């Protein structure tokens, strides 16, 4: 752990970060004009599922989806062809980001259950042809930063000893870091599943994932000076992107409660996800308080009785017209550990609906 901290604090990490920041300014433009844009979520989920099956790194997964986005933006491709394009993007991205021994093999891909359900059999010649087309489309340049390339650098300073949780000193720095990583990873997957986040540069999306995680975990100050210095983003810069992430989180929590909680008739009518003696605050109220600090409150239980961590996948999340249901979990909202939640009495509630459905299970 000490060596890892030294690495992130070193000059090499800073130089890599600066090179990525420079490169992201030259990323290809994305217009969101694909005739198959309504299938985009389905194929992003397909890439996520298969990359998880082979335990590929987040950078490979995010690069694959980004390649798919750019390709769909430039070509009118049939739904059946998009299956081949998606898998070729994943293979190309894994070859660029992963070690050679971790790149999925053709035989293993063809043996996956979802391949037969999609009536798809990959051939070596077909994959080589598609990879060549992709490389020519991107001028043989796969050095395309995504939010996943920035997130670890920002997480290296996301939690520190001086941070407060609801106005109290952290009871466990290591556990707080662990759940910061879980939430940042969750929000990173939220950004992967909606093309609206392509309207922000990747470093800003990564910084917003960290900011949203600190907000959900009730850490204060929400955006400390060290994060502002490292990312070069102020709180005001992050608000538009962070708000979209938090609204998606609210959608997942609401859907999880509908899936997992008993019928309303067996509960108190006004029961909310978090207990609170204070009025419920909306996302907008939280986001526009750059110096957000939590006052100390008496300890009390944080989660409502009967709450079950979400782990679900609505059928509509992965089912596109004329496409088979993949039948796998996509996104799960992390739950706040007892060590972080024992002193919490502030509600987190969002009153805006968002058309985001599938939870991510990692």
């Amino acid at each position: 752990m000490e060596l890892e901290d030294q690495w992130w604090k070193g000059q090499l990490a800073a130089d890599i970060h600066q090179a990525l920041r420079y490169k992201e300014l030259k990323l290809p433009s994305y217009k969101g004009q694909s005739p198959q844009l309504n299938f985009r979520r389905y194929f992003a989920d397909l890439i996520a599922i298969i990359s998880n099956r082979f335990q590929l790194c987040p950078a490979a997964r995010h690069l694959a989806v980004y390649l798919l986005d750019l390709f769909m933006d430039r070509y009118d491709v049939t739904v059946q062809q998009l299956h081949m394009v998606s898998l070729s993007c994943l293979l190309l991205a894994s070859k660029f980001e992963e070690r050679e021994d971790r790149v999925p093999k053709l035989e293993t891909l063809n043996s996956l259950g979802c391949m037969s359900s999609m009536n798809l059999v990959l051939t070596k010649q077909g994959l080589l042809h598609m990879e060549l087309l992709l490389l020519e489309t991107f001028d043989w340049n796969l050095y395309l930063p995504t939010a996943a390339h920035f997130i670890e650098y920002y997480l290296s300073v996301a939690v520190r000893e001086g941070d407060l949780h609801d106005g109290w000193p952290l009871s466990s720095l290591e556990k707080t870091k662990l759940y910061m990583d879980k939430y940042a990873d969750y929000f990173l997957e939220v950004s992967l599943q909606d093309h609206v986040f392509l309207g922000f540069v990747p470093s800003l999306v990564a910084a917003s994932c960290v900011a949203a995680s600190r907000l959900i975990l009730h850490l204060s100050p929400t955006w400390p000076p060290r994060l502002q210095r490292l990312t070069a983003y102020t709180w005001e810069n992050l608000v538009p992107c962070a708000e979209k992430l938090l609204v998606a989180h609210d959608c997942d929590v609401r859907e999880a409660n509908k899936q997992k909680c008993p019928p309303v008739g067996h509960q108190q009518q006004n029961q909310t996800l978090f207990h609170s003696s204070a009025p419920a605050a909306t996302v907008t109220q939280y986001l526009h308080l750059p110096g957000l600090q939590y006052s100390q409150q008496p300890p009390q239980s944080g989660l409502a009785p009967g709450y079950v961590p979400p782990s679900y996948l609505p059928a509509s999340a992965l089912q596109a017209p004329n496409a088979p249901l993949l039948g796998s979990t996509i996104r799960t909202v992390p739950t706040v550990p007892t060590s972080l939640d024992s002193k919490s009495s502030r509600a987190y509630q969002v009153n805006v609906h968002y058309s985001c459905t599938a939870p991510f299970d990692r």
Side-chain angles (χ1 to χ4, degrees):
M1 181 62 70
E2 184 178 350
L3 291 176
E4 184 177 347
D5 289 342
Q6 291 175 359
W7 155 252
W8 291 118
K9 294 176 183 177
Q11 186 59 44
L12 180 57
D15 290 344
I16 293 174
H17 175 247
Q18 285 302 316
L20 289 170
R21 291 293 291 265
Y22 176 77
K23 182 62 178 179
E24 73 176 354
L25 299 177
K26 301 179 178 294
L27 288 173
S29 61
Y30 177 77
K31 300 178 181 178
Q33 61 187 7
S34 170
Q36 286 79 30
L37 192 59
N38 57 318
F39 298 127
R40 189 261 183 196
R41 171 65 186 274
Y42 169 83
F43 289 103
D45 286 347
L46 173 63
I47 289 175
I49 289 168
I50 295 180
S51 66
N52 284 342
R53 166 66 176 78
F54 291 98
Q55 298 182 329
L56 300 179
C57 65
R61 180 166 65 253
H62 281 251
L63 177 58
V65 174
Y66 187 49
L67 294 176
L68 175 65
D69 283 325
L70 294 177
F71 190 85
M72 289 178 62
D73 209 37
R74 300 182 188 188
Y75 295 95
D76 186 356
V77 189
T78 66
V79 174
Q80 185 61 29
Q81 289 173 323
L82 280 174
H83 286 91
M84 173 70 81
V85 173
S86 300
L87 296 175
S88 298
C89 287
L90 180 60
L91 287 175
L92 206 56
S94 62
K95 291 175 183 178
F96 188 76
E97 295 289 349
E98 284 282 9
R99 302 193 313 266
E100 183 178 356
D101 61 328
R102 295 185 64 84
V103 177
K105 301 297 186 291
L106 177 61
E107 299 77 13
T108 312
L109 278 172
N110 279 327
S111 68
L112 295 178
C114 64
M115 299 296 287
S116 58
S117 67
M118 292 184 293
N119 296 319
L120 181 63
V121 177
L122 302 176
T123 64
K124 183 177 181 180
Q125 184 179 2
L127 283 175
L128 288 176
H129 175 77
M130 185 57 67
E131 287 185 3
L132 182 60
L133 176 59
L134 288 167
L135 288 169
E136 290 177 346
T137 299
F138 305 122
D139 297 324
W140 294 78
N141 174 31
L142 298 184
Y143 179 27
L144 303 170
T146 69
H149 291 91
F150 291 94
I151 195 73
E152 288 190 37
Y153 189 54
Y154 296 163
L155 283 174
S156 66
V157 299
V159 179
R160 285 288 183 262
E161 282 285 358
D163 292 341
L164 301 177
H165 172 249
D166 281 334
W168 295 78
L170 299 179
S171 58
S172 171
L173 179 63
E174 291 307 313
K175 285 186 178 180
T176 306
K177 287 183 177 181
L178 174 63
Y179 278 84
M180 169 60 66
D181 290 347
K182 287 180 178 292
Y183 265 108
D185 185 65
Y186 160 78
F187 283 119
L188 198 63
E189 298 310 319
V190 170
S191 73
L192 187 69
Q193 294 178 340
D194 196 322
H195 70 278
V196 70
F197 291 99
L198 293 171
F200 305 100
V201 293
S203 60
L204 188 142
V205 174
S208 298
C209 289
V210 174
S213 301
R214 287 184 60 87
L215 189 61
I216 292 293
L217 291 173
H218 292 189
L219 300 178
S220 61
T222 306
W223 194 242
R226 66 176 185 276
L227 276 167
Q228 181 170 328
R229 287 193 300 269
L230 187 71
T231 65
Y233 290 120
T234 66
W235 178 255
E236 288 72 23
N237 297 146
L238 304 179
V239 166
C241 183
E243 185 167 15
K244 296 180 186 302
L245 294 170
L246 290 166
V247 172
H249 170 271
D250 176 67
C251 174
D252 285 345
V253 170
R254 289 175 187 270
E255 189 65 28
N257 285 337
K258 282 193 285 185
Q259 295 284 333
K260 297 296 184 179
C261 289
V264 175
H266 298 285
Q267 305 179 46
Q268 295 179 355
Q269 290 292 327
N270 296 323
Q271 186 183 72
T272 57
L273 177 62
F274 295 100
H275 288 297
S276 175
S277 57
T282 65
V283 153
T284 305
Q285 289 173 320
Y286 276 134
L287 286 174
H288 295 284
L289 294 175
L292 183 63
Q293 299 281 351
Y294 293 99
S295 58
Q296 292 185 358
Q297 301 287 345
Q300 74 178 67
S301 176
L303 294 177
Y307 175 73
V308 181
S311 179
Y312 58 91
L313 177 66
S316 60
L318 280 180
Q319 191 164 18
N322 302 318
L325 180 66
L326 297 183
S328 178
T329 312
I330 293 301
R331 198 168 71 224
T332 300
V333 184
T335 55
V336 182
T338 305
S339 61
L340 287 182
D341 202 43
S342 59
K343 303 182 182 69
S344 175
S345 66
R346 180 183 292 270
Y348 174 79
Q349 181 177 344
V350 184
N351 296 324
V352 186
H353 291 286
Y354 186 74
S355 59
C356 181
T357 53
F360 194 90
D361 185 13
R362 291 202 53 184

